[in-house]
Amino acid sequence: MPELPEVEVVRRGLAPAVTGSLVRAVTVLDERSLRRHAGPSEDFIDRLTGARLRAPERRGKFLWVPIEHAAPREAIVVHLGMSGQVLLRTPDAPRDRLTRIVLELDHPEHGAVRVDFVDQRIFGSMALDDLVRTLDRPAQRIPSQVAHIARDPLDPDFSERRFFAALARKRTTIKRALLDQTLVSGIGNIYADEALWAARIHYDQPTESLSRPRARALLAEVRSVLAKALAEGGTSFDAQYVNVNGASGYFSHSLNAYGRQGEPCPRCGRLIVREVFMNRGSHFCPRCQRVRAGRVSAN
DNA sequence: CCGGACTCCTGGTTGC
DNA sequence: TGCAACCAGGAGTCCG
C-alpha cells in the first residue's frame, strides 16, 4: 500500500478499535511477517497476549500501537511494505487467504474485535519494539526501528528549516531526496511524482540547484498532495490498498502524472512519459518538467 | 557520502 | 488456453 495518506487512513480507522483494548490472543500464521521482530514468534505472542493497547501513532509510513504499563515501554510496530493491510473484523468473520497475523482484542465498550494483518508480498511486518527517546523531540518516545526516520510534512513539529538544511547538505537529485525517509518521511513513488509534477520539477534535478523559493514551493506541493490524498481516503489501484474496513480510496482519480504515461499532461497537453529511475517508474511531463540550470549553493 | 545492485516475496497482468 | 516474463505503493544492506 502505502504511503503517508494510506497509512494515516489505517491509523485513524484503527484508533477507535484498539485504544484501550486488551489483547486476548495472538495468532501468527506466517513467521515471515515478523521479520523485524527481534525474537521468535513465541516471544511476540507471549509478550503481546494480555497487553492493554494505547492509541496508535504514526510517523511517515510507520504505524505503532504503544502498550500500556510495559517496562521498558514498548509498542507494536506495523509497516505495510508494498502490500500490507490492516483489517478490522468481527471475531467470526472469514479470514482473507493472505492473512499473516491475527490479533483478537477485547474493547471495554465495543467488545470483541479482530485485527487481521494481511500482506501479499510480505515486505511489510509487525514487531514488538522498545520506545526510545530521540533528539528531535525528547519528550516523545518512538520505536527504536523508527528513530532514524525524519518527521513527515503533516507532522505539526515538522521543521522546514531542518528539511531545507538537510536538502542543502545532500549531493543528490530531488526525487531521490523526496524518497529518502531520513530527510522527510511519508513520501513514496506516487506522491513524489505527483508533487514534482505540481511543482514543475524534473525528478533528476540536482537538489543543490534548487533555489530556496523553488524548494519551498515543492514542499508546499508535497503537503498539498498528501493532504488531498488523505481527504480522499488514499490511493487505490486495486484491492491492494484498502482502509481497515476493506474500502478503497479515491485519490487515483486525481492523479496527474503517476501511471498516466501516454496521456496528455493536464496542464499543457504534452504526453506524460514514464522513465525507469531507481528501478521504478518515474512519470513526468517532458515540457513542464525539465532539468534546468540553477544556482549551485555555496556550502 | 553517494549511487547502483541486490535482497526480501506473491500474484495479477501482459504478451507470445 | 497455457505459460513465461514482467510489473507493483518499500526499504534495508552491501559494495565500489
Side-chain angles (χ1 to χ4, degrees):
Chain A
M1 335 199 181
E3 301 180 34
L4 184 152
E6 292 77 29
V7 179
E8 177 60 13
V9 166
V10 169
R11 189 198 66 79
R12 292 181 184 182
L14 214 46
V18 307
T19 308
S21 279
L22 186 74
V23 180
R24 285 264 179 237
V26 179
T27 308
V28 177
L29 299 163
D30 196 322
E31 297 200 342
R32 294 174 299 178
S33 289
L34 289 176
R35 197 190 323 265
R36 304 195 64 165
H37 179 74
S41 55
E42 293 71 30
D43 175 71
F44 179 81
I45 295 167
D46 292 347
R47 284 162 59 195
L48 200 47
T49 305
R52 179 79 63 184
L53 304 179
R54 308 181 64 134
E57 298 177 43
R58 181 189 56 75
R59 177 180 285 202
K61 304 171 194 173
F62 284 83
L63 176 70
W64 66 91
V65 184
I67 292 172
E68 220 167 274
H69 305 312
R73 299 190 206 183
E74 49 189 14
I76 311 169
V77 182
V78 183
H79 196 289
L80 302 173
M82 295 277 251
S83 54
Q85 304 177 348
V86 178
L87 301 173
L88 287 181
R89 300 270 111 123
T90 53
D92 54 350
R95 243 182 223 160
D96 185 289
R97 187 167 51 93
L98 302 172
T99 304
R100 312 297 185 188
I101 296 171
V102 177
L103 307 183
E104 291 170 68
L105 308 184
D106 199 0
H107 190 276
E109 289 154 41
H110 314 314
V113 65
R114 217 178 68 208
V115 175
D116 289 3
F117 181 71
V118 178
D119 190 6
Q120 180 202 113
R121 294 176 73 183
I122 324 184
F123 288 171
S125 61
M126 282 186 142
L128 270 179
D129 190 22
D130 290 347
L131 293 169
V132 299
R133 293 186 194 283
T134 56
L135 293 175
D136 67 352
R137 197 212 266 166
Q140 187 197 31
R141 289 171 188 266
I142 64 176
S144 68
Q145 293 179 10
V146 186
H148 66 296
I149 299 294
R151 288 181 177 278
D152 62 66
L154 299 189
D155 185 328
D157 290 327
F158 178 84
S159 162
E160 298 198 2
R161 192 181 49 77
R162 246 178 222 237
F163 172 63
F164 292 131
L167 211 54
R169 231 178 291 125
K170 282 282 179 184
R171 290 294 171 264
T172 187
T173 53
I174 191 60
K175 182 169 177 185
R176 205 179 283 281
L178 290 180
L179 295 176
D180 183 343
Q181 306 295 305
T182 68
L183 289 184
V184 54
S185 69
I187 306 165
N189 204 36
I190 298 177
Y191 300 115
D193 281 4
E194 289 301 304
L196 288 168
W197 178 87
R200 306 179 194 219
I201 297 173
H202 189 278
Y203 65 84
D204 218 13
Q205 182 80 35
T207 50
E208 61 189 353
S209 71
L210 276 185
S211 66
R212 180 57 61 96
R214 297 212 17 147
R216 207 177 283 287
L218 175 59
L219 178 59
E221 296 295 356
V222 165
R223 286 199 162 115
S224 168
V225 71
L226 293 177
K228 282 182 193 160
L230 177 55
E232 294 185 38
T235 300
S236 304
F237 297 122
D238 49 37
Q240 280 309 316
Y241 167 65
V242 292
N243 67 14
V244 295
N245 300 311
S248 294
Y250 292 97
F251 195 70
S252 61
H253 304 289
S254 306
L255 296 173
N256 289 301
Y258 186 88
R260 300 254 185 252
Q261 62 271 25
E263 297 177 36
C265 167
R267 201 163 37 213
C268 79
R270 189 67 177 271
L271 299 187
I272 297 289
V273 164
R274 176 182 190 272
E275 285 179 7
V276 174
F277 175 69
M278 293 175 76
N279 277 322
R280 55 222 310 216
S282 270
H283 312 74
F284 66 102
C285 170
R287 181 181 291 156
C288 299
Q289 296 168 265
R290 300 184 203 180
V291 180
R292 29 169 145 172
R295 59 121 213 212
V296 172
S297 66
N299 53 351

